[in-house]
Amino acid sequence: MAMMSSMDGGSNVVKVAAVVDAENPAVGPPPCAVDSDDLSQRANWLRAAVLGANDGLVSTASLMLGVGAVKADARAMVISGFAGLLAGACSMAIGEFVSVCTQRDVELARLDRGAEEEKALPSPVQAAAASALAFSVGALLPLLAAGFVTDYRLRIGVVAAVATATLAAFGCVGAVLGRAPVARSCARVVSGGWAAMAVTFGLMRLFKASG
C-alpha cells in the first residue's frame, strides 16, 4: 500500500508539472529559427558587399576608359580612377548612412523596443563603413590593372579584361547567395558592366572627335 501511495504521489507530481509546462510554455524562438535568421542577416550583408564592390568596379573602370578615350596618358587615367574611388566611396557611405538611419528611426517609431532590441538594429556607422570599403575594393582593381601598363592600347584592354573577369566573379557570388542560375547571373552582370564601359568610352570618343 505504501508503495502504491508513493507511486500515486509521483504520478500526481508529474501531472502537475505537465500542467504547469502547458500553462507556461517556453518563451522565445527555437534555436533553429535563431540560426536561420543569423544566416539570413549574414547573407544580406555579404550580398550588399558584393553589390557595393560591383558598383565600385563598374563606375571606376568606366570613368578610366572614358578618360582614356580622349587622353592616352596613363597618369590621367589613374588619377581620374583614384578620384572616382574617393568620390564614389564617400557617396556610398553617406547614402548608406542616411538610408540605415531612416530605417532605424522607422523601426523605433513603429515598435516599442527595449535596450537589447535596439542594439539588434543595424548600425548606420557600420553600414556606411562596409559600403565604402566594398566600393573601394571594387574600384581598386581597374586602378591596379592600369597603373603598371604603359602601352595605351594594352592598358585599355587590360582594364576591360580585369573588369570583365571580376564582374563574372561577382555574378557567381551573387547567384550563389540568391540561389539563382549562375550562368544567367554572370551574363547579366557582365553585360551590364560592358554596356556602362562601352557607352562611356564611345561617348567620350565622339566628344574627342567633335572637339
Side-chain angles (χ1 to χ4, degrees), residues 16-46:
V16 171
V19 171
V20 172
D21 290 341
E23 293 179 350
N24 300 280
V27 178
C32 59
V34 176
D35 294 340
S36 177
D37 291 341
D38 185 57
L39 290 176
S40 177
Q41 291 180 0
R42 292 181 183 179
N44 289 334
W45 275 99
L46 184 55

Side-chain angles (χ1 to χ4, degrees), residues 134-183:
F135 185 95
S136 300
V137 169
L140 276 175
L141 297 174
L143 276 173
L144 294 176
F148 302 98
V149 181
T150 57
D151 182 74
Y152 169 71
R153 294 182 180 274
L154 181 60
R155 184 168 61 252
I156 295 293
V158 167
V159 171
V162 169
T164 300
T166 310
L167 286 171
F170 288 162
C172 289
V173 174
V176 171
L177 292 177
R179 298 179 180 179
V182 175

Side-chain angles (χ1 to χ4, degrees), residues 91-107:
S91 177
M92 292 286 289
I94 294 171
E96 191 71 15
F97 182 85
V98 172
S99 176
V100 175
C101 280
T102 303
Q103 177 187 359
R104 187 183 180 91
D105 292 341
V106 171
E107 290 293 330

